[in-house]
Amino acid sequence: GQQVMQIPQYQHVQEGEDFTTYCNSSTTLSNIQWYKQRPGGHPVFLIQLVKSGEVKKQKRLTFQFGEAKKNSSLHITATQTTDVGTYFCAGPENTDKLIFGTGTRLQVFP
Amino acid sequence: NAGVTQTPKFQVLKTGQSMTLQCAQDMNHEYMSWYRQDPGMGLRLIHYSVGAGITDQGEVPNGYNVSRSTTEDFPLRLLSAAPSQTSVYFCASSSRTGGGEKLFFGSGTQLSVL
């Protein structure tokens, strides 16, 4: 079946530093979604990318979808303590199954 | 707005016991699913349903049963719990198919099997 890997698995940064997580799928994706899970919480939808090469921004967060639609990245500029959590990418295996990546846990030190 | 409601929040079972994790949504979503979350493994799909009366297997279905008798409810049954089923379980729903629409998650059930 489809596999979705993320790197790094864990990263800690000083507040104000940038952070990037990368997502790679074993198959071409029709779309990719990103979720954030705060410690002790549940995943919350952030964004969906559909087009090859698409770039979307949400304040300090920049999301990219690769040209081949097999990889994606999330970049956070000038991290804040509120960015702490685990970030997941997810891609559909078919119309009914959303397969999640392994996640990147971000820790921000003040 | 309640969204997706899961009960219980915490549960401890002994090996071999059975139990049902409850999930209900009030958004009239057709699609519902169950994931388990383990450290370093991300979220893995157990079972999903595209509508009342229709269920199918996900990535890790063994040891779990589901049914979907109504649009609102999607319970997950463990018939004979095993320590390997110790995990955090999340129920999620979306308005249409699971692959193209964003998922709304419940707050989770932390299950320990001794």
Side-chain angles (χ1 to χ4, degrees):
Chain A
Q2 176 181 295
Q3 292 186 344
V4 182
M5 302 299 294
Q6 280 182 256
I7 56 171
Q9 183 175 355
Y10 176 77
Q11 186 161 7
H12 62 263
V13 299
Q14 204 74 31
E15 189 173 20
E17 292 181 338
D18 292 355
F19 159 77
T20 304
T21 174
Y22 299 91
C23 175
N24 292 287
S25 170
S26 58
T27 61
T28 301
L29 301 170
S30 60
N31 71 85
I32 195 155
Q33 300 178 22
W34 285 91
Y35 291 77
K36 176 183 178 181
Q37 183 180 26
R38 295 184 186 276
H42 58 275
V44 175
F45 175 82
L46 292 176
I47 205 162
Q48 182 184 55
L49 305 172
V50 178
K51 299 178 182 177
S52 169
E54 188 171 12
V55 177
K56 286 189 176 181
K57 293 188 176 183
Q58 288 181 349
K59 297 183 180 179
R60 294 178 294 105
L61 278 61
T62 301
F63 303 84
Q64 287 189 305
F65 199 9
E67 293 289 341
K69 302 184 78 173
K70 294 183 70 174
N71 55 60
S72 181
S73 65
L74 159 59
H75 179 82
I76 302 178
T77 303
T79 54
Q80 300 175 358
T81 55
T82 53
D83 296 324
V84 166
T86 301
Y87 293 85
F88 292 99
C89 63
E93 181 171 294
N94 54 37
T95 56
D96 298 329
K97 293 182 180 180
L98 191 63
I99 305 302
F100 279 76
T102 45
T104 295
R105 183 179 166 197
L106 173 65
Q107 179 67 40
V108 179
F109 295 101
Chain B
N1 293 334
V4 180
T5 303
Q6 288 185 239
T7 56
K9 292 190 181 300
F10 303 94
Q11 183 70 48
V12 179
L13 293 177
K14 294 181 179 178
T15 297
Q17 286 185 317
S18 63
M19 81 158 295
T20 299
L21 306 185
Q22 301 292 344
C23 176
Q25 53 89 11
D26 61 0
M27 297 174 283
N28 201 31
H29 283 172
E30 289 296 321
Y31 183 89
M32 296 185 75
S33 56
W34 278 99
Y35 289 86
R36 61 176 288 174
Q37 183 174 24
D38 304 290
M41 304 289 289
L43 294 154
R44 292 182 292 171
L45 182 63
I46 305 172
H47 285 286
Y48 64 95
S49 169
V50 298
I54 306 170
T55 64
D56 207 343
Q57 296 181 349
E59 303 170 89
V60 288
N62 293 340
Y64 307 96
N65 282 347
V66 292
S67 60
R68 185 96 179 269
S69 57
T70 67
T71 299
E72 295 77 20
D73 300 298
F74 191 44
L76 178 72
R77 297 183 185 85
L78 285 71
L79 297 179
S80 179
S84 60
Q85 293 179 306
T86 293
S87 187
V88 179
Y89 292 85
F90 288 101
C91 179
S93 71
S94 67
S95 57
R96 292 188 294 175
T97 62
E101 295 289 325
K102 66 180 181 181
L103 291 177
F104 294 82
F105 282 83
S107 56
T109 295
Q110 189 167 327
L111 176 67
S112 294
V113 183
L114 307 177

